[in-house]
Amino acid sequence: MSRKRPRACLKSALLFVIATGLSVAFAQPGSTPPATIVVFAPHPDDEVIGCAGIIMQALARGARVKVVAITSGDGFPGAAAGVAHKALDQVGPDDFFALSRFRQIQSRTALGILGGKADDLIVLGYPDGDLGNLYESSDDKVIRQQFTRKNETYASIQKDYHTSVHGKPAAYQRSSVLGDLVELLTSLQPTEIYVTDGTDGHIDHRAAFWFVRDAAKQVGYKGGFYTYLVHGLPAWPFPSGVTPNLPFESRKVGGEVAPRGLPWPPPRRVPLSRDQAQRKLESIRAHNVPVVGMPEHQSEMESFVKAEEVFWTPLATPR
Ligand SMILES: [Zn+2]
């Protein structure tokens, strides 16, 4: 066996040289590199709620896809209580760490359902619930998250982005978030960016938009910039429930048109096949968390299973 190995190695090496030579010979000079889609998720689950279809369609046509979870998903007391099987007032830091781990595993599973790989998930590891405080901090002060008591980035299954690149975590401060995002946009060179919309009802979702918008401006980003809505105000999405044959609709709630602050129809509507809508449902179900005090949580997420995904373009120049 061992005697045969050198010959096998030589054969492999020859094949490699031939294959490399062929690929060089057939490479088109000036051919465009494959598209790179980057989906920014404030929390582990937003990426599938808003962009499962975009992710699976991009992967199916050979594009590179990276999902960037900006927070660790460690600031949701109802979910921490549900995962720990405790009452809401009994949860402590370890339960929030457990929730973070749980949600990151779920993001990996969901990405697999959509055709992606675990290392397509990048976790920045900033504090869930504090992105707005970080963005609005005028003196760049370091924030300590109230639930975990952490004041620097971390991730549970893999290294957080800053540790993986710089060998140490980043402090929870405004400049760190912006710095990591600028670095990522520079290294990944995305052709399309997706992030939650600046009108979203959740402060982390609005702050994710502000941070990614600022980072994109800083690097002179010129690709597609799309936003998706998760917590549309005053109550959206509509119609509710798993409705894979129906489009999203706007509606009137208390005399006000939902979703608030956004044009309707949305400027970009991406159709999903029946099979894609089914896989989107499976990816959302991979994020099932027992949430204490919010029995409707899962069905609200599943209401994003429609015959399409919808996006806005807030940075586009008005015509
Ligand atoms: Zn979220």
Side-chain angles (χ1 to χ4, degrees):
M1 249 183 178
S2 58
R3 244 181 279 151
K4 282 188 179 169
R5 188 165 273 174
R7 200 180 296 162
C9 281
L10 185 63
K11 195 175 167 189
S12 305
L14 271 171
L15 280 173
F16 175 75
V17 168
I18 291 165
T20 310
L22 281 176
S23 70
V24 168
F26 286 106
Q28 297 292 316
S31 59
T32 46
T36 298
I37 312 292
V38 179
V39 176
F40 290 96
H43 312 108
D45 68 7
D46 293 314
E47 72 278 14
V48 295
I49 294 170
C51 302
I54 286 291
I55 292 170
M56 71 180 99
Q57 289 179 9
L59 288 167
R61 64 174 183 267
R64 188 164 69 128
V65 173
K66 295 289 175 186
V67 170
V68 180
I70 301 177
T71 76
S72 288
D74 53 6
F76 191 170
V83 170
H85 304 288
K86 289 182 178 176
L88 264 173
D89 59 358
Q90 296 297 311
V91 292
D94 284 347
D95 302 315
F96 286 96
F97 290 131
L99 172 65
S100 164
R101 183 181 174 80
F102 188 74
R103 296 183 76 183
Q104 283 167 39
I105 291 171
Q106 290 181 322
S107 269
R108 287 172 162 232
T109 305
L111 202 47
I113 291 168
L114 302 177
K117 300 186 298 294
D119 60 3
D120 292 329
L121 176 68
I122 296 168
V123 180
L124 299 192
Y126 286 97
D128 184 354
D130 278 325
L131 281 189
N133 291 333
L134 284 170
Y135 186 83
E136 283 158 4
S137 151
S138 53
D139 57 0
D140 205 28
K141 71 169 186 287
V142 177
I143 280 177
R144 188 175 291 278
Q145 209 252 27
Q146 60 174 316
F147 302 116
T148 61
R149 311 302 300 156
K150 290 281 289 183
N151 64 358
E152 60 185 19
T153 56
Y154 75 97
S156 305
I157 312 299
Q158 59 197 69
K159 284 181 181 166
D160 66 273
Y161 168 76
H162 203 88
T163 300
S164 69
V165 173
H166 299 278
K168 58 180 195 295
Y172 284 167
Q173 58 191 140
R174 188 184 201 280
S175 58
S176 309
V177 185
L178 201 55
D180 282 355
L181 291 172
V182 164
E183 264 185 26
L184 270 173
L185 294 183
T186 305
S187 62
L188 295 175
Q189 292 287 307
T191 46
E192 287 177 22
I193 287 175
Y194 296 81
V195 65
T196 41
D197 195 81
T199 67
D200 196 286
H202 194 306
I203 180 62
D204 281 349
H205 290 209
R206 296 196 295 279
F209 169 74
W210 300 328
F211 271 122
V212 173
R213 173 199 63 193
D214 290 1
K217 280 185 183 164
Q218 199 168 317
V219 302
Y221 174 72
K222 295 278 188 285
F225 192 105
Y226 302 101
T227 62
Y228 61 95
L229 193 59
V230 175
H231 304 279
L233 294 173
W236 194 85
F238 187 75
S240 56
V242 178
T243 44
N245 295 319
L246 298 178
F248 285 100
E249 291 175 28
S250 74
R251 63 163 173 167
K252 277 206 163 174
V253 183
E256 190 183 353
V257 176
R260 179 191 296 160
L262 285 169
W264 198 272
R268 186 168 171 218
R269 311 182 88 147
V270 177
L272 265 59
S273 68
R274 185 70 199 232
D275 174 62
Q276 288 169 344
Q278 178 59 34
R279 271 211 282 161
K280 175 166 183 168
L281 177 61
E282 287 166 24
S283 71
I284 289 176
R285 287 190 172 156
H287 277 284
N288 194 1
V289 178
V291 180
V292 172
M294 289 173 66
E296 298 304 311
H297 178 75
Q298 184 64 23
S299 62
E300 283 170 9
M301 297 207 305
E302 293 180 8
S303 292
F304 284 85
V305 178
K306 294 275 180 282
E308 62 174 355
E309 286 180 339
V310 292
F311 302 96
W312 286 268
T313 51
L315 304 192
T317 318
R319 285 185 219 174

